[in-house]
Amino acid sequence: MPTTTSPDSGDHRSPLLSPPTKPAGESDRTQKVCIDDMLQNYCGEFGRWQLRHFVLTSLAWALEAFHTMVMIFADREPDWRCVGGTECDRAVKTVCGLEPGSWEWTGGPGSSTVAQWGLVCGEKYKVGLVQALFFGGCMIGAGTFGHLSDSFLGRKGSLTVVCILNTIFGCLTALSPNYWIYVLLRLLTGFSTGGVGLCAFVLATEPVGPTKRGMSGMSTFYFFSTGIALLSLIAYLFPSWRALYIATSLPSLLFLLLVIPFISESPRWYLVRGRPEEAMKIMRSITESNGNYGLPYGVIVALDEDAKCTSTTTTTTTSTTNDLNGQHDKKTKDTAVSGSLVDVIRSPVTQIRLFLAVAINFLCSVVYYGLSLNVVNLETNLYINVLLNAVAEMPAFTITAILLDKYGRKPLAIGTLWFSGFFCLVGSLVGNDGAWKVVRMVCGVLGIFGMAGTYNLLFIYTAELFPTVVRNAALGCATQAAQMGAILAPFVVVLGGALPFAVFALCGILAGIHAFYLPETLNRPLYDTMGGMEDGEKDHAHESV
């Protein structure tokens, strides 16, 4: 009598075995779940997988700090001294007017670019030109890599490219034979640097669940401030500007070799690019690494247009599912969903958000970089000053991170902007003599304290205002506006006296007024598509009524 084999027996000898049957009750049911719901209900919002991925990805912020703030040390005007036996008055504060050969740079001509190419007196404008063009390159790069990371390159691919370019351009800068080659290479370095923080931020926060996303997003700037603090130590160890550029560029190479291989692409990017299998693979990896039981049979990740997204920062209930037994109103898309700034401008929901985000980022950047330059220009030890400035920003990050989910993004943005604007206003009203110098210095410190908190908040706020399909493009546009503010800031500082503080106060107050017109994103889902956001905002408006 022949032996029959059960389909469930797992006997590999029978060529006629049928595939495993679905669990009881699941034969005709598929659950389409958006990523936020899957993270909340099955994978875990911020477990071991997200922590490791977040830390590794956010290390790129330190690289951005190196390439951006290195100009403070490389382009500084070093000390000088009189040469013995010559007519030289060391009591004067400038070398302008002194006879050539009567003085020399203390650290030699290789101590900075200013000493190397004589960028003093009538040539001093060239220092500002280099810095302005660097931020101009950042502005172009932010828009370019913001688009590329939303399209075919992806978040991880774009981060890889910018790190490669930073390594190449940074090392070549150290070999600059003359000033104009130096300018060109700093422009190119700015182009690649403009995409580092942008790509790292989105890649680090997109796999995080909604209740943890705000706190994790606010924590990314700790890595930037830590990078500035480390830069002061590196600059102290490498007093030559050429050696400094090498020392600050090699970490990008180490990041490429030691960190990038252990970073995953964003599952949200896979999903909107029509690659749900890769997205599901990452979601399963998150589930397993976080020690959860695994994804239930039939649960698949889908765009928010195809799955009712119910996640908020206050609910952990099972997500709403779509019973597809005879109801095929929508099907999971296997084709790429793309978007651009044109779509953002066309949509009545996002067009005003983009305008406000651009304006606020621009005004905020003028204040942040302007106050930073004012602090750097204080006649104190440069290395200690930069270190203290970096450390002073960290309490602002902590406070805004703690209050973010308690009071919401909008009230906190308005509060920090007006806090900074108020103290800048006070700084513009006090004199600069005697004890009033201390008052103005304190006003500057408190002003940058508030603006540092705003800068931190704006990244997570702007990212939440736009759907995945155009998130990096919109964030890149806002970052471009911030770089325009950075370009303008040095020219404001040149005004001198009380005028810079008055301009900073005006910018802070105006930015706070603009923030009044932004919607609150606390307890709102992170949408994937333009259609999903428009439908979700309509439903939210009806619920509010």
Side-chain angles (χ1 to χ4, degrees):
M1 180 176 180
T3 303
T4 59
T5 304
S6 171
D8 295 329
S9 64
D11 192 343
H12 61 279
R13 293 172 296 178
S14 174
L16 301 178
L17 289 178
S18 60
T21 58
K22 298 178 181 179
E26 296 292 338
S27 57
D28 296 316
R29 177 181 289 271
T30 299
Q31 294 181 350
K32 286 188 175 183
V33 182
C34 67
I35 288 181
D36 274 353
D37 281 346
M38 186 172 285
L39 289 170
Q40 278 190 311
N41 301 323
Y42 305 115
C43 305
E45 295 189 71
F46 198 81
R48 289 190 299 270
W49 192 97
Q50 286 102 333
L51 177 61
R52 178 186 62 83
H53 185 264
F54 175 82
V55 171
L56 291 177
T57 307
S58 297
L59 288 174
W61 279 98
L63 305 179
E64 179 172 346
F66 289 166
H67 291 288
T68 302
M69 298 302 180
V70 68
M71 67 179 67
I72 297 175
F73 301 99
D75 299 337
R76 76 187 190 280
E77 183 174 332
D79 291 333
W80 57 277
R81 62 193 173 199
C82 295
V83 177
T86 62
E87 295 183 3
C88 175
D89 185 4
R90 189 62 184 87
V92 298
K93 295 183 178 181
T94 176
V95 298
C96 299
L98 296 179
E99 289 293 330
S102 64
W103 61 276
E104 64 181 6
W105 298 111
T106 302
S111 58
S112 76
T113 58
V114 171
Q116 185 84 64
W117 296 306
L119 308 181
V120 291
C121 305
E123 300 289 305
K124 193 172 184 178
Y125 75 94
K126 291 183 177 180
V127 176
L129 178 62
V130 174
Q131 296 175 355
L133 288 177
F134 173 84
F135 287 118
C138 289
M139 181 180 67
I140 299 172
T144 301
F145 288 104
H147 172 72
L148 291 176
S149 62
D150 279 336
S151 57
F152 69 95
L153 267 186
R155 281 78 161 114
K156 181 179 177 180
S158 296
L159 185 59
T160 302
V161 170
V162 295
C163 287
I164 292 173
L165 295 179
N166 268 346
T167 303
I168 296 173
F169 295 144
C171 291
L172 288 178
T173 302
L175 305 177
S176 301
N178 56 59
Y179 169 78
W180 292 110
I181 297 297
Y182 176 70
V183 170
L184 175 62
L185 289 171
R186 284 300 287 165
L187 173 66
L188 294 175
T189 304
F191 172 76
S192 54
T193 301
V196 174
L198 175 70
C199 297
F201 176 83
V202 176
L203 183 57
T205 55
E206 282 193 335
V208 178
T211 68
K212 308 297 182 182
R213 190 179 302 121
M215 182 68 75
S216 62
M218 297 291 284
S219 299
T220 57
F221 276 78
Y222 285 110
F223 293 86
F224 185 81
S225 295
T226 301
I228 297 177
L230 289 174
L231 175 63
S232 63
L233 175 61
I234 295 173
Y236 180 78
L237 297 175
F238 297 92
S240 167
W241 72 270
R242 294 185 186 273
L244 179 59
Y245 271 111
I246 295 292
T248 54
S249 300
L250 289 180
S252 294
L253 178 61
L254 295 177
F255 185 83
L256 280 168
L257 298 177
L258 304 179
V259 178
I260 286 287
F262 300 98
I263 293 177
S264 298
E265 180 57 86
S266 169
R268 296 179 186 274
W269 180 79
Y270 277 134
L271 192 59
V272 299
R273 295 298 295 176
R275 297 162 65 178
E277 294 83 7
E278 287 93 332
M280 281 298 298
K281 183 178 180 180
I282 294 177
M283 300 307 287
R284 293 189 188 97
S285 177
I286 295 175
T287 305
E288 295 172 2
S289 297
N290 289 347
N292 295 325
Y293 293 107
L295 297 176
Y297 188 90
V299 172
I300 60 173
V301 68
L303 296 171
D304 45 22
E305 286 184 336
D306 299 320
K308 182 65 176 178
C309 194
T310 62
S311 65
T312 68
T313 57
T314 58
T315 179
T316 56
T317 58
T318 303
S319 72
T320 302
T321 61
N322 293 332
D323 188 349
L324 300 184
N325 186 16
Q327 298 179 6
H328 298 279
D329 295 333
K330 293 182 179 180
K331 297 182 179 180
T332 302
K333 293 180 174 65
D334 290 328
T335 57
V337 180
S338 60
S340 65
L341 282 177
V342 176
D343 300 303
V344 178
I345 296 172
R346 285 176 178 173
S347 171
V349 176
T350 56
Q351 60 184 201
I352 187 65
R353 296 183 180 186
L354 181 65
F355 169 78
L356 293 171
V358 165
I360 294 171
N361 275 271
F362 172 80
L363 295 170
C364 179
S365 184
V366 172
V367 182
Y368 178 80
Y369 284 102
L371 288 174
S372 297
L373 290 175
N374 266 353
V375 175
V376 170
N377 288 333
L378 296 176
E379 296 181 1
T380 57
N381 184 285
L382 184 61
Y383 303 100
I384 295 178
N385 195 26
V386 172
L387 175 64
L388 292 178
N389 288 341
V391 174
E393 293 181 2
M394 294 186 182
F397 302 155
T398 303
I399 293 173
T400 50
I402 292 173
L403 300 179
L404 181 67
D405 289 331
K406 183 176 182 181
Y407 295 104
R409 282 67 163 149
K410 181 175 178 178
L412 201 57
I414 297 171
T416 53
L417 286 166
W418 282 0
F419 180 92
S420 179
F422 171 78
F423 283 103
C424 288
L425 179 61
V426 174
S428 69
L429 297 177
V430 301
N432 197 33
D433 300 319
W436 291 113
K437 286 185 177 180
V438 179
V439 175
R440 178 171 285 185
M441 182 191 71
V442 172
C443 288
V445 171
L446 292 175
I448 201 170
F449 173 85
M451 200 54 65
T454 307
Y455 231 114
N456 194 17
L457 168 65
L458 280 180
F459 256 83
I460 186 67
Y461 198 5
T462 306
E464 291 178 345
L465 287 171
F466 302 94
T468 302
V469 70
V470 293
R471 183 169 298 119
N472 262 25
L475 196 57
C477 189
T479 305
Q480 283 182 300
Q483 299 301 341
M484 292 181 66
I487 295 172
L488 180 62
F491 298 102
V492 177
V493 174
V494 170
L495 296 175
L499 285 177
F501 275 97
V503 173
F504 300 151
L506 179 62
C507 289
I509 294 171
L510 281 177
I513 294 175
H514 280 77
F516 260 109
Y517 297 95
L518 285 173
E520 178 57 70
T521 57
L522 180 65
N523 297 338
R524 303 293 298 135
L526 198 63
Y527 296 102
D528 291 323
T529 63
M530 296 295 292
M533 169 169 278
E534 292 174 358
D535 293 340
E537 292 303 310
K538 289 178 183 178
D539 294 340
H540 179 66
H542 292 156
E543 292 172 2
S544 300
V545 175

